[in-house]
Amino acid sequence: MTRIIIDAGHGGTRRIGNSSAYGGQAPGGLLEKDVTLDIARAVVGRLGGGAALTRAADGNLSLGARAAMAARSGAEVFVSIHANSGPPESTGAETWVHPEAAPGSRALAKGVQQSLDRLAGRYGGAAEPHAGQMAVLSPAAVGRRTDACLVEVDYLSNPRGAARLGDPRQRAAIGAAIADAIQAHLGNGARHATYGDRPSPDPYIVPDPSSYTGRGLMEFVRAWAGYFSRWARWRAGVPHDAYHYFPHSAICELELSGPTFARGFGTGFYIGPNKILTCGHNFKSGGDTTTQVIVRPGKSPVQSIWPSQTFAVNWRDVVHPRWAASEDDDWDMAVLNVPGLAAPNGEYFSLPNATPAQTEQIVVCGYGKFQGDGSANDPDEGQYLDGGNISHATFEQYHFPIQSIPGHSGSPVFWNDMAIAILTGPRILGRRLSDHENRGVRLTPEKNDWILSR
Ligand SMILES: [Zn+2]
């Protein structure tokens, strides 16, 4: 059943009625019709089966035909996606509703506005939706039971807006923010108590990778602090140049294999000149055990910066005894000694000598298949750097609102040069895994003693 119709503004090469083909254009040539289609696809991709597009390809439709799709399917939500044009200094998202729309449309628009404002790092009171006689939002055309709004996601006429809308990852983040606002709207509307059976991941800020530069730890720390000052949560792909320097040089991709599986990925990090810390489940998870691991320190998505080496392992020798005995989440840790593969530059993470506050800002960095599928042709295997706050702590674990990425297991949870935990994966809430929260094994003095004894 289609509950949500997402309209990608404009399209094709011919005006149809009042729908122009190309829409606005950025100074560099980027067309509104392409931006809207990509974002609309991201929205529907995230919402899943209950959502559909007015156009799935580069073609135009009249405004009436777009609205009619919502009426025909009896959709509860209709969102038309556009990109703005105006004076070069204008920036940010704008939402619109029809003046005759029911209050639900206004609530929907407000939710979308707020979600996009948060994505752009603006918290606090969101701008009120504008009202306009827009044919695509006419209640007579979309259906009186459909909550409908139009969103101008950002300004193509602004250089920063154009750069943002030209970046596929930023478009994906914008799509995710709109999708989450729609889900929240349907959840709050009491028409249906829930949408789907799992919460969707929180949207992330994806900062411009060129803003993440530096040579050495302190410059990187300044970059993290800058992100934290603007956004509570963010994810950044680590640029190629950064792999030469600590901390990224000390973070290793682990390619794992064993009798029951051909290829898996995890992350580990140096905590000594020839010593790597990671999670226990990279070596033993149920009946799957790892017998060989390829360790690749500071591997960039496009080439190896540092030498790699293959090690044969016996999982019993590397995992913590309490993980070996019971797979106890509090002890999901392993120490791998890597003779002959020294920490690049001789730099490695320190173990904690203090206890961070529960709300401490933390950084996680690991080898995630964020966009790549891990196939041989897929080069997207670089490090991803995530920032968030510790939301909850137990004696043995930290929890934080950072999504899990396959391949991230065993990543350092750190601040400055101090690893405070090992990322182990989604937090269990009730009896299911959370999409919102990950957890890490906390490096307590007792655990540090075991690590140092290995
Ligand atoms: Zn438009």
Side-chain angles (χ1 to χ4, degrees):
M1 188 185 73
T2 303
R3 299 179 59 199
I4 302 157
I5 298 286
I6 302 299
D7 175 42
H10 312 281
T13 54
R14 285 191 309 126
R15 166 178 287 272
I16 309 277
N18 285 324
S19 178
S20 71
Y22 301 108
Q25 185 172 1
L30 183 64
L31 295 172
E32 182 182 348
K33 68 166 184 170
D34 296 324
V35 170
T36 62
L37 181 58
D38 199 48
I39 292 174
R41 282 178 175 151
V43 176
V44 167
R46 184 152 170 129
L47 290 170
L53 293 160
T54 53
R55 64 175 181 102
D58 185 20
N60 202 358
L61 292 162
S62 74
L63 300 177
R66 294 166 190 264
M69 282 185 67
R72 251 199 326 273
S73 57
E76 292 163 53
V77 163
F78 175 85
V79 176
S80 183
I81 294 175
H82 287 257
N84 232 335
S85 293
E89 66 277 11
S90 293
T91 167
E94 231 172 56
T95 47
W96 292 80
V97 295
H98 196 278
E100 288 152 31
S105 293
R106 217 174 162 73
L108 172 68
K110 267 192 101 146
V112 169
Q113 177 82 47
Q114 198 162 37
S115 188
L116 289 175
D117 283 356
R118 282 180 54 193
L119 180 66
R122 280 188 290 276
Y123 290 81
E128 286 294 312
H130 302 265
Q133 301 273 354
M134 294 180 162
V136 77
L137 298 180
S138 158
V142 292
R144 302 209 170 264
R145 297 186 323 113
T146 305
D147 294 336
C149 74
L150 182 147
V151 54
E152 304 273 9
V153 293
D154 202 345
Y155 279 82
L156 273 173
S157 45
N158 174 283
R160 289 193 72 90
R164 183 173 182 230
L165 297 177
D167 179 347
R169 287 171 50 193
Q170 301 282 357
R171 292 198 298 265
I174 290 168
I178 294 170
D180 292 346
I182 291 168
Q183 264 186 355
H185 179 77
L186 288 170
N188 294 340
R191 285 165 161 176
H192 297 262
T194 59
Y195 180 75
D197 58 358
R198 280 173 75 90
S200 74
D202 296 337
Y204 266 81
I205 307 292
V206 183
D208 176 359
S210 67
S211 70
Y212 188 80
T213 56
R215 297 287 181 275
L217 183 67
M218 288 325 291
E219 284 183 49
F220 291 126
V221 169
R222 273 194 284 277
W224 307 331
Y227 292 167
F228 274 126
S229 71
R230 279 172 286 163
W231 308 298
R233 281 172 242 169
W234 42 268
R235 168 170 298 148
V238 173
H240 177 77
D241 283 352
Y243 292 91
H244 296 273
Y245 306 99
F246 186 78
H248 302 295
S249 58
I251 299 170
C252 308
E253 182 185 73
L254 306 182
E255 183 178 331
L256 313 157
S257 55
T260 55
F261 67 102
R263 195 166 178 242
F265 288 94
T267 298
F269 53 102
Y270 280 91
I271 45 108
N274 291 92
K275 195 182 285 251
I276 286 172
L277 189 58
T278 181
C279 62
H281 75 254
N282 279 341
F283 296 102
K284 180 189 188 292
S285 177
D288 292 329
T289 57
T290 297
T291 51
Q292 179 184 288
V293 55
I294 305 170
V295 179
R296 302 186 178 108
K299 175 180 171 274
S300 94
V302 290
Q303 70 184 84
S304 242
I305 302 288
W306 301 96
S308 302
Q309 199 170 315
T310 303
F311 296 90
V313 286
N314 179 338
W315 65 270
R316 290 178 196 282
D317 295 339
V318 296
V319 307
H320 192 279
R322 288 174 66 168
W323 179 256
S326 61
E327 301 199 0
D328 177 344
D329 291 335
D330 289 340
W331 302 88
D332 186 353
M333 56 196 292
V335 171
L336 180 70
N337 287 302
V338 288
L341 191 67
N345 305 319
E347 289 181 285
Y348 44 84
F349 288 92
S350 306
L351 295 176
N353 52 23
T355 303
Q358 283 207 4
T359 53
E360 197 76 43
Q361 293 169 333
I362 49 103
V363 176
V364 176
C365 188
Y367 282 90
K369 301 292 186 291
F370 180 39
Q371 290 178 314
D373 64 7
S375 70
N377 295 330
D378 191 334
D380 187 39
E381 298 176 356
Q383 292 180 10
Y384 285 96
L385 186 68
D386 294 273
N389 283 68
I390 294 174
S391 54
H392 176 70
T394 66
F395 189 70
E396 306 288 1
Q397 291 187 18
Y398 289 121
H399 300 153
F400 28 81
I402 286 176
Q403 292 157 226
S404 60
I405 305 177
H408 247 53
S409 284
S411 299
V413 178
F414 63 98
W415 186 245
N416 298 347
D417 65 341
M418 192 163 63
I420 58 166
I422 308 159
L423 183 91
T424 55
R427 181 181 177 194
I428 296 168
L429 294 169
R431 294 169 65 187
R432 69 179 181 186
L433 297 176
S434 169
D435 280 345
H436 296 272
E437 292 220 326
N438 261 20
R439 63 200 152 136
V441 169
R442 183 172 175 171
L443 296 178
T444 60
E446 181 189 5
K447 286 170 179 155
N448 291 351
D449 286 346
W450 178 76
I451 292 164
L452 294 170
S453 75
R454 304 302 299 160

